[in-house]
Amino acid sequence: MSFDGFFTHAMVNELNTKLATGRVSKINQPYENEIIITIRANGNNYPLLLSANPSYARVQITNISYSNPEKPTNFNMTLRKYLNGAILNKVSQLDNDRVLKLHFLTRNELGDLQETVLITEIMARHSNIILINGHDLNVIDAVKRIGSDKNRYRTLLPGDTYINPPKQDTINLFEHNSIELLQSLNSQFPNAEVLASNLQKSFQGLSYATALCMANLMHENNNLSDSIDKFIKIYNNPRPTIFEKDSRTDFTVYPFNFNNNVKEFNSLSEMLDFYYRDKAQRDRTKEQGNLLIKIAKNELKKSRKKAKKLQKTLDETKNADEYRIKGEILMTYLGKIKRGMKEIILPNFYDNQNDIKIKLSNKISPSENAQKYFKRYQKDKNAVSYVNNQIKINNQNIEYFDNILSQIELAKPEDLKDIKLEFKQEGYLKNHNYHNKGKHKKVKISKPESFISDNGIEIQVGKNNLQNDKLTLKSADKREIWLHAQKIHGSHVIVKSFNPDEDTVAQAAKLTAYFSKARDSANVPVDYVQVKHVRKPNGAKPGMVIYDSQNTLYVTPTEELVNKLRENYKKSKLM
């Protein structure tokens, strides 16, 4: 089910119940198209997420952590100027459309009360967040400024008059009794799918999934009026549910009996947090790490291209011994060679005296021809050693950038700053416009994530190469236990104990498998050993270590265990 007009209706009710009369305490813009407004209401702080993300546009209360950029955006500063300390009077919806309005009461420079409205338009790639004056509808600013070159119907620039999105000629079911039209449609279209499509044409705010739920309710009850009443009550008193249908997981406001329901939630916001946690995080990481991904893929492409060239060169040097043999044969039979000859056939004493044809240069002496073969032999012999060394270095580069791409794939947006720092230190960002001009503050490596096992032992997990190096080579005691997925890109993990119990090691191994490229695999091999057996080779890339004397566990990672051990750590900090 999408965040359509009906879902917006249910969310407005939820937000009014929890947030109305609350006061704005903080405003942040952690991501390009997303705003977090913390509202203090009824003794609680509620982080309200307003998202104009093209793929995951929505409004909800969120408990997912986020990190703020070092410098706030201009739009964020504008929101702070107009809304800091404001009272949220109410949340409203434009008809039954995907337009949600937050009505704030603020005071102007003279101390007079005035209304400022923050509007979230949930419309896929056209989604936007707009701040307007309530009394004259003038646009103060928008997270996506829209000029006349992009939209002829309306512009969204500071000073423009705000115009609602184009209204469809459809009926708002929450405000109009349309039982006769519904009866007509119900009798005309006995097929639920066809009825759903026609309901969309007549009623506002219906996605196809919502319309199909409505059609099924209409068909399962002979009393159409009761079916419609039930449908409306569902959106006024939702039971948020994650369900599966056709091997696809989705969310809905109610556990309809024609879906395979998986899990119910206490609120729509809690359900959306569960549903979007990984999807939105991957999208945010990809958006913020786009430059890093581009660099890694380009370097990986160059290294793989170089690998082919090096292998071709190595293949060409396989005949080095043949040049040596020909040189020795020529030196043995110098008396038979006359200057000016272009080739000669001589017995090969390395091949049972069988004849061998040797090409000659007619411009040099017989001895010089032999020396020419010896020089070619020596050149190829030296090349073999050089090329093999280059292949080793190049393979390490391929491994390194493969690992970086895996880390970005598993990373949270806040983990990317360490990878950016690493790329700067390694020289991969020098030709990119990543840094602003002027003096830069020294960037500190972020801390690894901590967990607590069920037996109370801390487990630390590095999320990138710089964290891994610091965790393994500097922070960890040599007697503690180090873990890594066997021959798989992933995190360094440290059990903060000299002699941990088996259950703790097993839980640490599952964390190790989860924070690796094998996250979605079963029976993942995880090596574990004391830190003293782990070392970094000279000149090795960040994050690269070698180890010995290890034991191996085979485990299947689960998100439930990760969340459980994460909560254990949070609880330990409150004690």
Side-chain angles (χ1 to χ4, degrees):
M1 181 174 288
S2 62
F3 207 117
D4 60 7
F6 277 80
F7 194 95
T8 303
H9 176 92
M11 181 58 75
V12 166
N13 289 340
E14 176 174 304
L15 297 182
N16 270 317
T17 300
K18 292 187 176 182
L19 305 181
T21 72
R23 183 182 295 275
V24 175
S25 61
K26 285 192 295 185
I27 303 174
N28 295 304
Q29 188 176 353
Y31 311 110
E32 183 180 2
N33 297 315
E34 296 182 333
I35 303 295
I36 303 281
I37 301 179
T38 303
I39 297 177
R40 179 76 176 173
N42 303 314
N44 296 306
N45 289 320
Y46 294 101
L48 178 64
L49 168 66
L50 312 179
S51 175
N53 183 296
S55 301
Y56 310 116
R58 64 198 188 280
V59 177
Q60 62 163 110
I61 296 167
T62 182
N63 289 311
I64 298 176
S65 60
Y66 59 90
S67 61
N68 291 313
E70 292 182 8
K71 184 178 179 181
T73 65
N74 290 336
F75 184 66
N76 190 14
M77 294 299 289
T78 300
L79 291 180
R80 290 176 181 178
K81 175 182 176 182
Y82 284 88
L83 297 182
N84 258 344
I87 301 297
L88 179 61
N89 188 35
K90 65 175 180 178
V91 184
S92 69
Q93 180 184 12
L94 175 63
D95 298 323
N96 197 37
D97 206 348
R98 295 168 296 168
V99 178
L100 190 147
K101 300 181 178 182
L102 303 175
H103 299 260
F104 292 98
L105 291 178
T106 61
R107 292 189 181 275
N108 60 20
E109 293 83 353
L110 300 176
D112 298 327
L113 275 176
Q114 63 180 20
E115 185 182 56
T116 305
V117 184
L118 188 59
I119 303 169
T120 305
E121 298 177 351
I122 303 168
M123 298 175 181
R125 64 188 181 92
H126 300 295
S127 298
N128 210 339
I129 303 170
I130 309 109
L131 184 68
I132 69 170
N133 287 319
H135 63 284
D136 58 11
L137 303 184
N138 277 354
V139 173
I140 298 171
D141 206 351
V143 76
K144 300 177 187 176
R145 294 183 176 183
I146 307 297
S148 56
D149 57 326
K150 294 181 181 179
N151 192 321
R152 294 182 180 180
Y153 174 76
R154 64 174 187 156
T155 57
L156 294 172
L157 298 172
D160 290 345
T161 300
Y162 176 76
I163 301 173
N164 288 325
K167 185 177 180 180
Q168 297 178 338
D169 188 19
T170 49
I171 299 169
N172 182 352
L173 192 61
F174 291 101
E175 294 183 356
H176 296 89
N177 186 344
S178 306
I179 193 66
E180 292 181 3
L181 174 58
L182 288 164
Q183 286 174 339
S184 174
L185 293 172
N186 195 40
S187 60
Q188 287 181 64
F189 306 110
N191 180 279
E193 287 79 6
V194 179
L195 176 57
S197 297
N198 282 273
L199 287 171
Q200 281 185 280
K201 297 175 184 177
S202 301
F203 295 95
Q204 188 181 26
L206 279 174
S207 64
Y208 178 75
T210 305
L212 187 59
C213 292
M214 182 177 174
N216 282 317
L217 281 177
M218 290 168 67
H219 281 166
E220 75 175 10
N221 191 339
N222 292 329
N223 190 324
L224 186 62
S225 182
D226 285 350
S227 296
I228 300 306
D229 285 345
K230 179 181 179 181
F231 185 73
I232 290 174
K233 286 178 181 177
I234 283 170
Y235 284 88
N236 287 327
N237 298 282
R239 286 171 54 191
T241 306
I242 297 288
F243 71 93
E244 285 185 359
K245 190 172 185 180
D246 300 327
S247 301
R248 184 174 62 90
T249 301
D250 209 341
F251 62 86
T252 179
V253 298
Y254 185 79
F256 294 103
N257 56 20
F258 34 83
N259 291 328
N260 296 318
N261 301 311
V262 176
K263 187 174 183 179
E264 289 192 38
F265 296 84
N266 295 323
S267 69
L268 297 171
S269 293
E270 184 184 333
M271 176 185 72
L272 292 180
D273 263 358
F274 181 89
Y275 182 78
Y276 282 118
R277 180 183 297 272
D278 291 334
K279 293 181 175 66
Q281 180 172 291
R282 280 195 297 269
D283 191 73
R284 290 164 176 168
T285 303
K286 185 177 179 181
E287 181 181 299
Q288 293 195 3
N290 191 48
L291 174 60
L292 303 179
I293 294 169
K294 184 179 179 181
I295 293 171
K297 285 185 175 179
N298 284 343
E299 293 293 334
L300 199 55
K301 184 179 179 180
K302 286 193 290 185
S303 295
R304 285 173 174 161
K305 190 175 180 180
K306 185 177 180 180
K308 291 181 180 178
K309 289 182 178 180
L310 289 170
Q311 188 58 50
K312 184 180 179 181
T313 303
L314 189 63
D315 291 341
E316 290 172 351
T317 61
K318 288 181 179 178
N319 298 322
D321 276 345
E322 185 180 330
Y323 296 122
R324 177 183 58 80
I325 290 169
K326 288 180 178 179
E328 290 181 359
I329 292 172
L330 288 176
M331 289 299 294
T332 303
Y333 296 101
L334 274 178
K336 293 185 177 183
I337 307 168
K338 306 298 181 185
R339 192 182 185 100
M341 294 176 68
K342 292 185 177 180
E343 63 179 34
I344 189 170
I345 297 176
L346 296 170
N348 183 357
F349 42 76
Y350 286 104
D351 186 24
N352 298 320
Q353 301 298 320
N354 290 321
D355 288 344
I356 181 172
K357 183 187 287 187
I358 304 174
K359 291 183 178 181
L360 302 170
S361 172
N362 60 357
K363 296 179 181 179
I364 58 178
S365 68
S367 178
E368 287 173 329
N369 268 298
Q371 292 304 317
K372 183 179 177 181
Y373 276 102
F374 284 129
K375 287 178 181 178
R376 182 65 187 272
Y377 160 69
Q378 194 61 46
K379 180 182 177 181
D380 283 2
K381 183 181 177 183
N382 293 338
V384 169
S385 176
Y386 174 78
V387 171
N388 278 328
N389 186 53
Q390 287 299 304
I391 287 174
K392 181 181 178 181
I393 294 171
N394 197 59
N395 285 341
Q396 288 175 352
N397 283 338
I398 291 173
E399 184 77 9
Y400 173 71
F401 288 109
D402 260 338
N403 187 33
I404 287 289
L405 289 173
S406 297
Q407 288 177 1
I408 294 173
E409 186 179 342
L410 297 173
K412 296 178 181 178
E414 55 266 31
D415 297 329
L416 296 178
K417 63 180 181 180
D418 287 339
I419 300 176
K420 289 177 182 177
L421 175 61
E422 179 183 341
F423 270 18
K424 182 190 174 187
Q425 292 174 346
E426 294 296 306
Y428 297 114
L429 267 172
K430 61 184 179 182
N431 294 324
H432 296 271
N433 245 346
Y434 162 63
H435 296 284
N436 296 323
K437 294 181 180 179
K439 191 175 180 180
H440 305 292
K441 295 180 181 178
K442 184 177 179 180
V443 182
K444 291 184 179 179
I445 300 170
S446 57
K447 294 181 179 179
E449 185 171 4
S450 291
F451 301 82
I452 296 290
S453 73
D454 286 339
N455 291 329
I457 297 175
E458 184 176 359
I459 303 168
Q460 294 183 335
V461 178
K463 298 294 186 65
N464 51 66
N465 289 330
L466 296 185
Q467 279 189 21
N468 287 338
D469 276 354
K470 185 176 181 181
L471 177 62
T472 301
L473 305 173
K474 296 181 179 179
S475 302
D477 189 289
K478 297 295 183 183
R479 295 165 291 179
E480 292 173 344
I481 302 300
W482 179 89
L483 302 93
H484 196 282
Q486 187 183 96
K487 298 179 181 178
I488 301 169
H489 299 313
S491 297
H492 293 199
V493 176
I494 297 291
V495 179
K496 305 295 289 181
S497 171
F498 301 159
N499 187 29
D501 58 277
E502 290 184 3
D503 288 343
T504 293
V505 174
Q507 289 184 337
K510 290 179 181 179
L511 283 174
T512 306
Y514 183 84
F515 291 103
S516 78
K517 203 170 183 178
R519 172 176 291 189
D520 298 320
S521 304
N523 212 30
V524 180
V526 175
D527 291 336
Y528 65 98
V529 68
Q530 279 188 311
V531 175
K532 66 182 180 180
H533 295 291
V534 183
R535 58 198 179 277
K536 190 175 189 69
N538 291 333
K541 291 280 190 182
M544 196 275 178
V545 295
I546 55 176
Y547 55 93
D548 55 52
S549 307
Q550 71 273 15
N551 293 308
T552 304
L553 279 177
Y554 290 83
V555 296
T556 300
T558 64
E559 187 175 1
E560 288 75 18
L561 177 68
V562 175
N563 291 334
K564 179 183 178 185
L565 302 188
R566 187 177 277 137
E567 285 300 314
N568 286 352
Y569 179 75
K570 290 179 181 177
K571 289 177 183 176
S572 72
K573 289 298 177 182
L574 297 175
M575 294 174 65

